[in-house]
């Protein structure tokens, strides 16, 4: 299943890139975007905003927001491992790759992420494929996972806007 999500921030690409490379922000955003019952297990940021960087986040989330018929495949909580590898800024834009894996569930998201100027701000675009390797129920699981990813990214956008407003 293809997933495409756009997030908008009221700041220039270099400012948003620096925010995304800030370990304090990454930890704060991860804690805020998981909702009640979420727990951030690990955050690592290597490299820097100018030369390129990699962000790795491991967190647990409750499964109460996914459909009950899908919940039986994953249990009471999800362990999510997310990695983003960002290239240095080129021609006013940034690009990278994203990988999200739900441990203990046969679901994975792989794709690209970009930062581009958008008027006076920046748009962050995620594009990728959500795959579930479960016969018969794969489509339903992919749909539920895609909705969960969209909700998490919307929460990350709100956290980023709040951070930038500080």
């Amino acid at each position: 299943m293809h997933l495409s999500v756009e997030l908008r921030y009221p700041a220039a690409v270099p400012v948003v890139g620096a925010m995304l490379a800030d370990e304090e922000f990454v930890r704060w955003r991860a804690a805020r975007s998981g909702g009640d019952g979420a727990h951030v297990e690990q955050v690592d940021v290597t490299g820097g905003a100018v030369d390129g960087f990699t962000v790795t986040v491991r967190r647990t989330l409750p499964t109460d927001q996914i459909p009950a018929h899908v919940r039986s495949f994953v249990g009471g909580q999800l362990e999510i491992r997310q990695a983003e590898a960002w290239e240095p800024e080129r021609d006013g834009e940034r690009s990278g790759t994203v990988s999200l894996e739900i441990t203990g569930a046969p679901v994975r998201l792989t794709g690209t992420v970009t930062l581009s100027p958008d008027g006076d701000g920046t748009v962050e675009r995620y594009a990728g494929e959500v795959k579930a390797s479960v016969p018969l129920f794969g489509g339903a699981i992919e749909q539920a996972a895609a909705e969960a990813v969209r909700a998490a990214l919307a929460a990350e956008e709100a956290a980023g806007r709040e951070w930038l407003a500080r």
Side-chain angles (χ1 to χ4, degrees), residues 74-154:
V74 295
Q77 70 178 26
L78 302 173
E79 181 180 319
I80 299 182
R81 295 179 183 185
Q82 180 177 349
E84 294 181 2
W86 288 93
E87 298 292 326
E89 186 177 326
R90 288 194 181 95
D91 300 324
E93 298 189 349
R94 285 198 97 116
S95 63
T97 58
V98 62
S99 173
L100 187 139
E101 178 182 335
I102 301 175
T103 305
V107 179
R108 184 172 182 86
L109 164 72
T110 55
T112 60
V113 60
T114 59
L115 293 178
S116 304
D118 183 44
D120 291 337
T122 298
V123 62
E124 182 177 20
R125 289 183 179 92
Y126 285 87
E129 298 297 321
V130 178
K131 298 206 183 271
S133 57
V134 176
L136 301 176
F137 297 104
I141 293 171
E142 288 170 359
Q143 181 67 34
E147 290 305 316
V149 168
R150 280 188 190 95
L153 289 174

Side-chain angles (χ1 to χ4, degrees), residues 61-83:
L61 304 174
T63 58
D64 56 351
Q65 295 182 9
I66 63 175
H69 68 284
V70 176
R71 206 174 306 142
S72 64
F73 288 100
V74 295
Q77 70 178 26
L78 302 173
E79 181 180 319
I80 299 182
R81 295 179 183 185
Q82 180 177 349

Side-chain angles (χ1 to χ4, degrees), residues 27 38-43 57-60 77 79-80:
R27 182 174 301 283
H39 182 68
V40 178
E41 305 288 338
Q42 179 182 2
V43 171
V57 177
R58 188 169 54 93
R59 60 187 163 182
T60 55
Q77 70 178 26
E79 181 180 319
I80 299 182

